[in-house]
């Protein structure tokens, strides 16, 4: 049995979520989470606000971040949990990623301009409450301008591969990202392993090399996982001696039909990340 109700992967508007850190923490508290983490993309800027609200509501908050990285030239997301957000090595790494994001945003806008979509950068900025621009913000802009009906289509037609706004980013290798997280005293985990475009064989290679790079764990349960996926990921934690985490990857989008603190149980709680933080 999962004695802990933990939800360790969530977004606010400090990256591509729609709610404030305060609102996100309120939802976690209403859902009676025992343990919660805000894990915005490449920034810890929302955590101070989240911590204020968590203190008010007596919610146990773990500092978190979801860092963009590369493995064999593929973009991978590494969760850092239990990090000291004042650590210089971590913050220097995150600032580097924020710069890469800014440069990518300009390239996406240029690509869209070439296909006849004007002022994409300015228009997209209006969808972000902070200076963080993610592809999700471009997606929202393109939908609201009537180019596409939904997120899935807009990513496929505009924001991936060789499409007008498809821009590859040279994120740092995941072994370096593990080092940033460890420097800040946190644990490094591969987020949503089954959401990359990889065969199981390739995922296993990625996990073996992650362990080799001193990576700590794997996100076994996400908000959309089926029981089969959970069992498979849990088996991988055993095979490769990795810890296990669970998080909904909540963004608060109207069409994202999932709630904070509503996850299936981790099959093996001995491996649960919170036992090792
Ligand atoms: P970025 O980190 O700026 O490259 O944006 C990646 C984010 O876009 C992910 O964290 C997801 O939230 C979202 N995303 C990526 N692919 C899709 C997709 N096909 N449909 C909807 N959202 C997506
Ligand atoms: Mn996201
Ligand atoms: Mn992710
Ligand atoms: Mn996420």
């Amino acid at each position: 049995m999962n004695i802990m109700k933990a939800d360790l992967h969530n977004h606010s508007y400090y990256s591509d979520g729609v709610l404030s850190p305060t609102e996100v923490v309120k939802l976690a508290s209403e859902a009676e989470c025992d343990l919660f983490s805000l894990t915005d993309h490449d920034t810890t800027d929302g955590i101070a606000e989240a911590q204020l609200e968590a203190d008010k509501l007596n919610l146990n908050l773990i500092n978190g971040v979801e860092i963009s990285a590369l493995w064999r030239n593929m973009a991978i997301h590494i969760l850092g949990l239990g990090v000291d957000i004042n650590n210089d090595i971590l913050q220097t790494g995150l600032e580097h990623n924020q710069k890469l994001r800014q440069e990518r945003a300009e390239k996406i806008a240029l690509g869209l301009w070439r296909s006849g979509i004007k002022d994409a950068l300015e228009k997209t900025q209006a969808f972000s409450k902070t200076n963080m621009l993610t592809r999700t913000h471009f997606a929202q802009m393109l939908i609201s301008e009537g180019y596409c009906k939904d997120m899935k289509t807009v990513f496929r037609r505009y924001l991936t591969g060789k499409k007008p706004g498809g821009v590859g980013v040279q994120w740092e290798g995941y072994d370096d990202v593990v080092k940033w997280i460890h420097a800040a005293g946190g644990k490094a985990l591969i987020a949503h392993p089954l959401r990359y475009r990889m065969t199981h064989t390739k995922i296993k290679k990625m996990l073996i090399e992650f362990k080799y790079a001193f990576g700590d764990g794997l996100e076994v349960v996400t908000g959309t996982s089926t029981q089969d996926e959970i069992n498979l990921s849990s088996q991988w934690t055993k095979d490769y001696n990795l810890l296990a985490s669970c998080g909904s990857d909540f963004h608060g989008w109207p069409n994202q039909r999932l709630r904070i603190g509503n996850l299936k149980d981790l099959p093996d709680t001995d491996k649960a990340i919170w036992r090792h933080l």
Side-chain angles (χ1 to χ4, degrees):
M1 201 186 77
N2 223 356
I3 37 166
M4 275 284 190
K5 187 165 186 176
D7 192 336
L8 305 181
H9 185 164
N10 295 279
H11 296 271
S12 73
Y13 61 45
Y14 278 83
S15 62
D16 57 350
V18 297
L19 305 179
S20 67
T22 303
E23 290 167 316
V24 172
V25 165
K26 276 203 175 98
L27 289 177
S29 175
E30 282 162 19
E32 300 184 327
C33 286
D34 301 304
L35 206 54
F36 181 76
S37 187
L38 181 70
T39 53
D40 276 311
H41 295 287
D42 300 315
T43 181
T44 56
D45 289 353
I47 290 179
E49 182 187 323
Q51 188 64 61
L52 275 178
E53 188 65 17
D55 289 345
K56 251 191 239 168
L57 299 173
N58 214 6
L59 175 77
N60 207 340
L61 183 80
I62 293 176
N63 289 346
V65 60
E66 182 175 20
I67 307 182
S68 312
L70 283 187
W71 177 70
R72 298 194 183 183
N73 231 25
M74 273 178 292
I76 301 294
H77 288 171
I78 307 296
L79 290 170
L81 294 178
V83 289
D84 168 11
I85 59 174
N86 295 314
N87 180 271
D88 283 343
I89 293 173
L90 175 65
Q91 288 304 336
T92 303
L94 296 181
E95 280 160 25
H96 174 69
N97 277 15
Q98 288 157 19
K99 185 163 158 280
L100 292 178
R101 280 186 172 279
Q102 184 60 38
E103 289 167 6
R104 179 183 65 170
E106 286 160 22
K107 287 181 194 162
I108 292 175
L110 183 63
L112 293 175
W113 179 79
R114 287 198 181 111
S115 74
I117 301 171
K118 307 282 181 246
D119 303 323
L121 200 58
E122 295 73 10
K123 284 182 178 154
T124 300
Q125 189 60 56
F127 286 85
S128 179
K129 290 207 169 61
T130 66
N131 56 9
M132 162 80 67
L133 287 185
T134 70
R135 282 186 297 165
T136 311
H137 295 111
F138 280 94
Q140 285 171 286
M141 182 279 286
L142 290 165
I143 290 170
S144 101
E145 294 275 312
Y147 290 101
C148 277
K149 277 207 177 64
D150 60 83
M151 284 282 197
K152 214 178 148 176
T153 322
V154 81
F155 269 86
R156 198 180 66 233
R157 288 204 198 142
Y158 286 97
L159 297 171
T160 48
K162 300 215 183 308
K163 299 299 161 62
V167 178
V169 184
Q170 283 299 312
W171 307 109
E172 298 300 315
Y174 72 3
D175 43 347
D176 281 331
V177 170
V178 169
K179 287 182 196 156
W180 305 346
I181 292 167
H182 284 174
K187 297 281 189 223
L189 303 100
I190 294 194
H192 42 67
L194 291 162
R195 224 184 285 157
Y196 307 111
R197 290 159 72 91
M198 281 187 212
T199 60
H200 289 181
T201 309
K202 196 138 192 198
I203 295 172
K204 290 190 247 180
K205 279 199 184 119
M206 172 175 75
L207 297 178
I208 290 166
E209 289 181 22
F210 189 61
K211 183 70 188 179
Y212 215 69
F214 305 104
D216 302 291
L218 181 63
E219 196 172 52
V220 167
V221 178
T222 81
T224 54
S225 300
T226 65
Q227 194 57 48
D228 283 348
E229 289 172 338
I230 292 168
N231 295 343
L232 180 62
S233 307
S234 180
Q235 185 58 45
W236 288 336
T237 65
K238 293 187 177 72
D239 294 346
Y240 308 119
N241 193 21
L242 292 162
L243 298 172
S245 177
C246 56
S248 56
D249 206 4
F250 175 84
H251 285 76
W253 301 322
N255 64 344
Q256 197 190 27
R257 283 189 295 271
L258 55 82
R259 284 179 290 126
I260 288 178
N262 187 37
L263 292 163
K264 296 193 173 78
D265 288 341
L266 282 180
D268 179 1
T269 49
D270 286 346
K271 280 190 163 288
I273 186 75
W274 54 84
R275 300 203 168 198
H276 303 267
L277 283 172

